[in-house]
Amino acid sequence: MDDFILNDKETVKKLKDKLFFDNKNILLLRNEEILDEVNKFAERYKKFIDKAKTEREVVREILRISEKVGFKKFDKSRRYVPGDKVYKVSRDKNIALAIIGEKGAENGFKLIVSHVDSPRLDLKPSPLYEKNELALFKTHYYGGIKKYQWTAIPLALHGRIVLKKGSELDLIIGENEDEPCFCVTDLLPHLAHDQMNKSMNKAINGEDLNILVGGIPFKSDKGSELVKLNILNILNKKYKITEHDFVFAEFEMVPAFKARDVGFDSNFIGAYGHDDRCCAFPAMYAMFETIVQPSTSVAFFVDKEEIGSEGNTGMKSTFLKHFLADLAEISGVKNRQVLSKSKCVSADVNAAFDPNYSENFDPLNSSYVNKGVVLSKYTGFAGKAGASDASAEFLSYMRMVFETDDITWQVGELGKVDNGGGGTIAKYVANLDIDTVDVGIPVLSMHSPFEVISKLDLFELFRALGAFLATY
Ligand code: MN
Ligand code: MN
């Protein structure tokens, strides 16, 4: 046995640096000069999410910006050369951007997928009613929400209505300060004795998330439902809508406030719907600004993740699969051969470790704000149920990507085992025989009307996705 000699502090530090997997704040690892770029990117992001709050609006905005930087509608009959930029839109709720790579699809595609829907309150097909001389809208909430968080906050109406003769009308009401907004009322604490003794899940019923939309009756000395009549009269004068037309609409109620900086140091952005626009936005700019892309790259922005990716605008639809087949075909390769060689980053958020709720997290396997992008090997619920589990080999590829470009990254699992869990669209891409892993950023207060992310993490994701596209 060696003599037992106490090592000095310096030796211990050196050995720890070598052997420990320690995550540090991005600013401790990189030059403070990045702050200028970080802040510029954050301002562009804030503008984007203020402008595009629903899946239709995000798709419309991505399309507008993409066309501006030279993307053209995909046409299978055309001949494409490396560097050509194309897009394909599905039902105004999905958009795929592709850039033909130097090597085409020969070695598989580079894919980044993210979702553009966020939790909210959807109007029911027949929403308007009057009760006790107040006009209200019935809603059916969309996605996983804590219902109490959606009462007593300003809401705006966003959506599309298709009028009788087929004309489409896109409406946004309640975002500007000079127009009215809407809200769900809540019971005053003085009278909430019974409500406060209920579990959080039962305190507000889904059926009670009704939206206050008016109170002035139509001028008449007799008649019932005169407030409802007045509201319909206002809507009809302005938009030619009748009560029947609501059936042919998709109206969503979303928080009416804008993205704001949070903290004395403005480290954070608080906003509605970071999940998953804080990944979609960096994905879009990684496509635009990554100069050399060896393989044909595809960024796909998809709807319906928050309710299980079902239907023809969700990730389970065949839209992406067929688009990839077309891209393979124009490259002269067989889709069956190209998919298994492709690599995909499913860009979605993870739960940030929250000191207020630390008992719900495993500190070793949680992601932390300001510590960079989160690599999530798997998602799922108790016992990894429903998980897409990226292989050690593919993770090792991602490590190489991150290390080459000095990307700050960390691991993350969604909370403690048996505490719940969640899924992303990763598994639906992986089901196509494509190596897929979740990479995103940590979010505080996820799925609340005011989610919080770090500007440093947001910019780091843009860099990470760019590194992924640039790597052979
Ligand atoms: Mn998400
Ligand atoms: Mn989500």
Side-chain angles (χ1 to χ4, degrees):
M1 196 182 157
D2 291 337
D3 287 339
F4 185 77
I5 308 163
L6 283 175
N7 284 295
D8 58 35
K9 251 180 159 174
E10 194 52 33
T11 313
V12 171
K13 192 188 168 293
K14 266 192 189 153
L15 201 60
K16 276 189 173 175
D17 282 350
K18 186 179 160 197
L19 299 179
F20 280 17
F21 177 36
D22 224 1
N23 292 118
K24 290 194 177 72
N25 187 301
I26 295 174
L27 280 182
L28 292 178
L29 297 168
R30 310 219 0 249
N31 203 317
E32 260 204 39
E33 277 160 24
I34 61 158
L35 274 180
D36 203 34
E37 271 185 281
V38 166
N39 289 330
K40 266 191 208 146
F41 195 73
E43 289 311 308
R44 275 151 88 192
Y45 170 68
K46 278 155 64 186
K47 269 200 196 120
F48 176 83
I49 59 171
D50 283 344
K51 206 166 173 190
K53 288 192 174 180
T54 68
E55 62 282 6
R56 283 180 191 273
E57 289 164 10
V58 175
V59 167
R60 194 186 309 148
E61 193 59 8
I62 291 176
L63 175 62
R64 187 186 69 80
I65 303 171
S66 302
E67 282 188 323
K68 237 168 96 179
V69 300
F71 281 77
K72 301 238 156 59
K73 196 172 176 180
F74 179 66
D75 173 1
K76 220 181 122 181
S77 64
R78 266 205 52 191
R79 277 187 67 86
Y80 288 103
V81 295
D84 279 349
K85 303 169 190 168
V86 296
Y87 67 79
K88 193 170 180 188
V89 175
S90 170
R91 296 176 171 83
D92 293 350
K93 295 178 183 182
N94 284 186
I95 182 167
L97 306 178
I99 298 176
I100 310 301
E102 297 297 326
K103 297 265 171 186
E106 198 182 297
N107 286 297
F109 299 110
K110 278 293 180 60
L111 290 158
I112 303 172
V113 296
S114 56
H115 68 91
V116 292
D117 59 321
S118 297
R120 62 192 186 236
L121 306 180
D122 282 347
L123 294 200
K124 290 192 184 189
S126 179
L128 182 62
Y129 70 104
E130 176 176 336
K131 198 175 176 191
N132 306 113
E133 292 173 48
L134 294 176
L136 299 125
F137 275 158
K138 300 293 304 174
T139 67
H140 195 142
Y141 61 95
Y142 174 97
I145 61 165
K146 289 163 104 175
K147 285 166 239 161
Y148 71 89
Q149 292 178 334
W150 293 75
T151 65
I153 58 165
L155 298 169
L157 179 144
H158 289 234
R160 174 173 294 178
I161 188 161
V162 182
L163 299 173
K164 206 168 182 179
K165 284 177 184 155
S167 62
E168 290 166 355
L169 181 64
D170 287 319
L171 288 181
I172 300 179
I173 305 167
E175 291 291 347
N176 296 327
E177 271 166 30
D178 60 357
E179 54 187 23
C181 66
F182 311 93
C183 67
V184 178
T185 57
D186 198 356
L187 185 61
L188 61 166
H190 317 63
L191 299 181
H193 181 79
D194 287 350
Q195 186 195 37
M196 299 288 257
N197 283 317
K198 288 180 185 170
S199 68
M200 272 165 110
N201 198 24
K202 302 241 166 76
I204 310 280
N205 294 313
E207 205 58 66
D208 296 335
L209 288 172
N210 302 314
I211 308 224
L212 183 62
V213 298
I216 296 176
F218 187 75
K219 261 193 198 152
S220 160
D221 49 5
K222 45 175 145 348
S224 61
E225 295 191 288
L226 292 175
V227 178
K228 174 176 165 175
L229 181 64
N230 192 43
I231 296 299
L232 282 172
N233 194 36
I234 292 170
L235 290 175
N236 190 263
K237 276 190 177 152
K238 218 165 171 184
Y239 309 110
K240 313 247 179 305
I241 298 172
T242 68
E243 187 177 16
H244 188 55
D245 290 326
F246 278 99
V247 177
F248 315 101
E250 286 173 359
F251 284 137
E252 308 175 6
M253 287 287 184
V254 298
F257 36 77
K258 288 185 171 12
R260 300 280 304 271
D261 283 1
V262 173
F264 287 117
D265 55 6
S266 295
N267 183 185
F268 309 104
I269 305 168
Y272 163 69
H274 283 313
D275 175 10
D276 189 27
R277 294 177 298 166
C278 70
C279 297
F281 184 81
M284 172 173 69
Y285 274 97
M287 286 290 278
F288 296 167
E289 290 179 18
T290 308
I291 310 295
V292 180
Q293 302 190 20
S295 301
T296 294
S297 55
V298 178
F300 185 45
F301 305 90
V302 67
D303 179 31
K304 295 288 184 285
E305 190 274 345
E306 296 295 356
I307 56 166
S309 298
E310 305 289 349
N312 58 9
T313 61
M315 195 64 228
K316 288 184 192 170
S317 130
T318 54
F319 175 78
L320 179 66
K321 195 174 128 185
H322 291 154
F323 183 53
L324 294 179
D326 286 345
L327 289 174
E329 205 182 311
I330 60 161
S331 273
V333 287
K334 284 213 170 74
N335 200 36
R336 277 174 62 173
Q337 286 153 6
V338 83
L339 290 180
S340 63
K341 286 192 270 184
S342 297
K343 296 180 174 67
C344 175
V345 164
S346 159
D348 205 347
V349 297
N350 206 308
F353 184 92
D354 187 335
N356 279 330
Y357 302 97
S358 55
E359 67 280 9
N360 297 287
F361 296 88
D362 163 14
L364 261 185
N365 290 284
S366 293
S367 59
Y368 295 80
V369 287
N370 287 331
K371 293 192 175 184
V373 300
V374 192
L375 190 64
S376 306
K377 180 172 171 16
Y378 51 84
T379 53
F381 299 84
K384 292 192 177 180
S388 175
D389 198 342
S391 69
E393 291 84 349
F394 187 47
L395 289 185
S396 153
Y397 172 83
M398 292 306 296
R399 174 202 200 158
M400 183 270 291
V401 168
F402 290 164
E403 284 182 355
T404 308
D405 270 36
D406 196 21
I407 304 296
T408 308
W409 64 279
Q410 52 185 326
V411 293
E413 194 176 318
L414 194 75
K416 268 187 179 168
V417 177
D418 290 342
N419 251 32
T424 65
I425 53 178
K427 57 183 168 186
Y428 308 113
V429 184
N431 288 349
L432 297 173
D433 192 22
I434 295 174
D435 275 314
T436 309
V437 68
D438 278 299
V439 177
I441 61 176
V443 177
L444 291 161
S445 305
M446 197 198 290
H447 281 208
S448 77
F450 194 69
E451 302 178 319
V452 174
I453 60 163
S454 144
K455 293 178 184 175
L456 292 165
D457 296 331
L458 178 74
F459 186 66
E460 204 64 5
L461 181 61
F462 162 66
R463 292 184 62 241
L465 297 175
F468 172 69
L469 295 178
T471 309
Y472 194 57

